[in-house]
Structure formats: structure tokens, C-alpha cells
Amino acid sequence: MQTPLRQTAGELAAVLWREHTVYRERGGGVVIRGEHVRRWISLAPTGGRDQALVRAGRILDGGTTAPARLEAVVDLTSGTTELAAVCRRLLAETAADAAPSAAASTPPRRSRTRSARERGTRRTRRVRTGRHTSLGSGVVLLCVGGMVALWAYGVFCGAY
């Protein structure tokens, strides 16, 4: 399955992109990287005969690959043009997922009416100035210091 998958990936890469890199994955699959379009396609063997799992994803800044956004199982006997059509669809959906929409990039508008919580008294946040230890922490420190002083007195002065 490895050799036909590698050959199919080479033919597919030539159809999809003029500039591409094809390499083998650890799991026996083949990856096609299109650096100029910042996308990748992976063909991996499945349990079925003459079938492959096609995954598509993005290439991030610095050359690392993002996890696969979409995947589909395709029949390898159908031909390179049908396989290329499936890959183009996956790549187009990956590009659409990666592009932020105009509505998502603008902050939501606030309504002119104030909510009941805003009309009521607002809580002000207490700002600490200077001292970081509270009175309770000081009392605990004094108690611990007193216990250490009693222990030292018992050890050094109590044994005569």
C-alpha cells in the first residue's frame, strides 16, 4: 500500500500545486506541503482496500503544521482528478475556517440601556497600598515566634 500511496500523492501534488514537497509520515502515510498557500494534505492508509484517509490543515508561522481541520475517506481507484477535487474541497473549507469573519473581528456593540446591575450600586475594587500582610498574618507570625522562643528557653535554660 505504501508504494501506490506515494505514487498517487506525487501525481496529486503535481495536479494541486506547482510548488510542493512530498514526504512520508511515521505511520506510513504521505504528506504534501504547499508552502506558498500555507496548506498541507495528508494521505494515510485505512483498513479498507484501495482507500485512503485524506486530511487537510494549515501551515502556521515558522513552518509548523496545525492539526488537521477536515478529513475524508476516498477511493484511490477513482482517479487523480476525482481525488484532486476532494482535496480542493477540503482545502477550500480549511481556508474558510482559518479566515476570521468580519463580524467576529469587530467587538460587539453595547446597548444604550443599562442593566439593573449597572443601575444599582457598583462595587468598587479595594486597592492595596503598601502593606501586603494582614493583621491575621501578623498574629500567626507572633504565635510561631513565641513557640520558637519557648522551645529555645526550654532547651538552653531549662536543663541545669
Side-chain angles (χ1 to χ4, degrees):
M1 181 76 184
Q2 305 260 337
T3 305
L5 195 61
R6 174 81 177 179
Q7 291 172 349
T8 304
E11 294 169 5
L12 179 64
V15 170
L16 289 176
W17 301 309
R18 280 184 244 166
E19 300 172 27
H20 58 270
T21 305
V22 179
Y23 61 91
R24 189 177 65 83
E25 286 182 310
R26 286 186 214 147
V30 180
V31 176
I32 306 166
R33 286 176 66 108
E35 296 288 338
H36 62 291
V37 292
R38 306 191 56 80
R39 302 283 179 263
W40 60 268
I41 294 265
S42 170
L43 299 171
T46 61
R49 185 174 175 91
D50 294 330
Q51 288 184 342
L53 175 66
V54 177
R55 296 180 300 155
R58 297 181 303 139
I59 298 175
L60 302 175
D61 293 334
T64 60
T65 58
R69 296 248 180 186
L70 301 164
E71 55 186 37
V73 176
V74 295
D75 188 21
L76 294 177
T77 59
S78 62
T80 307
T81 55
E82 288 82 10
L83 183 59
V86 171
C87 290
R88 284 188 182 115
R89 180 181 54 84
L90 291 175
L91 288 169
E93 290 178 16
T94 300
D97 287 347
S101 66
S105 63
T106 60
R109 296 182 67 182
R110 298 190 78 176
S111 65
R112 294 189 184 248
T113 60
R114 291 174 46 186
S115 67
R117 189 174 67 172
E118 288 176 341
R119 284 188 299 252
T121 59
R122 291 188 139 171
R123 292 183 186 172
T124 58
R125 188 173 173 204
R126 193 177 87 191
V127 179
R128 291 185 177 180
T129 56
R131 193 176 69 196
H132 291 286
T133 55
S134 66
L135 180 63
S137 298
V139 170
V140 170
L141 288 174
L142 283 175
C143 289
V144 169
M147 294 297 288
V148 170
L150 284 174
W151 173 79
Y153 179 75
V155 169
F156 294 112
C157 296
Y160 50 103

